[in-house]
Amino acid sequence: MSTTLEPLESLAPTLSVRQVLMLERVLAGEPEVVAGASQLDRAVRWVHVAEAADVGVMLSGGEMVLTTGVLLAGDDDKQAEYIRSLHRAEAAAVVLGLGRAFPAPPDVMRRAAERCGLPMVVLHRPFPFAELTEEVQARLVRRKFAAVSMSEAVRTALTGLITAGAPLQRMLDEIAHHSGCPVVVTNLAHRVLATAGERSAVDDVLRDWERIARQAGGSEGDGWIRAELGGRGERWGQIMLCGYRGDAATGRLLADRAAEALVLHRMLGGTSAHTWEEQSAQSLLTDLVSGVVPARQLLPRARAAGLPVNRRTFVPLVVRDGDPAELDRVLRLLGLPGIVAELADGATAVLLSLARDQDATVLTANFAARLSRTVVAAADPRTAWDDVPAGMREARHVADAVASGALDLPAVVRLKDVHLRGLVRLLRDDPHVQSFAERELDGLLCGAGDDLLAVLRTYLATGRNKSRTAQLHHVSRPALYRRLEAIQGRLGVDLDDFEQAASVHIALLAHDAQQG
């Protein structure tokens, strides 16, 4: 489900002083700003007509006060106190209609307003204040109604996405569309879990994320609007609108609606069993392995995800049949900085980030030693981030090459350990290689030859060691000899001939690679 709505920034529930002064009815009065010109972006919550010197006691903040000054004329003290009273009440601005009471802007009020930073406007052509009050009040009411209506529409749209089983990224894309700015979701440690928005704008935010994260607990401003994520008295993250250009109150409304939806999305589990942290790591490592996104563009994401990237040694690993949660636990136990993510086909990628003075080989071996019944494939360490994608692909290739279970592997398998198996794995999709494998093994590829194929695989993997092969298959040597004779008869080869045995071995490796 997808609902397209207009960005909320155009529906601010308030008007600024500057916007009020641009209204047609106000322009007819020839307004002139005589003080507080730097504060014209103040929000006007209401319009109030008042003449009394102690007007502040009747205000609650955000009002634009209209006056003729008829009760202030001739008394400098009352004029100054009038302005101070408005300032104490946090009025948005004061508008003075020039006329019999004040034919020209009064210096006392102007100076007081300038000192207080209160916008003061004079109207050179007076008109009924009731017209201005009616105009502004009607606009404010319409805007507030429109903002509330849009807020409910956003809530409906996001709830619809949740009901439809939309993933987290689809939710964030919808929020970014309405906010018109980058959206970032973090955990309590300010590590980035997910982002949305225009790619270049998001990258700009992530590039400066360390500074932003340090200030994340401070006050909001300049369009940086946060909403807490959590429930039942427990906080577990926050969503941030980064550089929201609209009205702050509208941005707050949108952030709150987004937070409500994300909390509900997480409570319902979304469409995946993975946590948001796992999804974030999986997205990053998948992009690194695929090489579709240039490494330089992924650097801000890695840094924002909490991976140390400055002056580091990176060790790409791929673990076969490993539990991502266990791998992450082992990393924490050993104090190794890194990220873990499950890839396709039962493989899990691990990217270690080590200090330059640490021994990458020893630490990788320690990591592998903590795991059981797994194949840990490693690429050579990389000291440049741009080389990490190639390293991840190398580790993936090594893991694929030993996936079928080679014998006598070291604890950490590297490219030099996969030898011919690795080359054949690379060429497995070549149609010439496929035809070669089928031709060489034709006599054993029928269902009845499965047992003989397994014996052949072991015999060749052990370097044609008959005793070891008989032991692994739990048969006597005479029984093994009969099976080897059957294999040679079906294939029409002499396995004692090195070249013929090598040809069959390569064909078997290609067959296994194609099957798995």
Side-chain angles (χ1 to χ4, degrees), residues 362-404:
V362 171
L363 292 177
T364 302
N366 290 344
F367 173 72
R370 296 274 181 167
L371 307 177
S372 58
R373 299 184 302 278
T374 59
V375 173
V376 178
D380 291 335
R382 264 64 174 175
T383 56
W385 175 258
D386 287 346
D387 295 334
V388 170
M392 293 301 306
R393 290 192 292 273
E394 178 183 317
R396 181 65 184 270
H397 165 62
V398 173
D400 285 346
V402 298
S404 59

Side-chain angles (χ1 to χ4, degrees), residues 35 59 72 75 89 180 213 293 311 363 393 409 424 426 433 470 477 505 508:
L59 307 178
L72 304 175
D75 190 328
V293 182
R311 296 186 59 78
L363 292 177
R393 290 192 292 273
L409 289 172
V424 171
L426 286 175
V433 174
R477 287 176 66 93
H505 194 185
L508 185 57

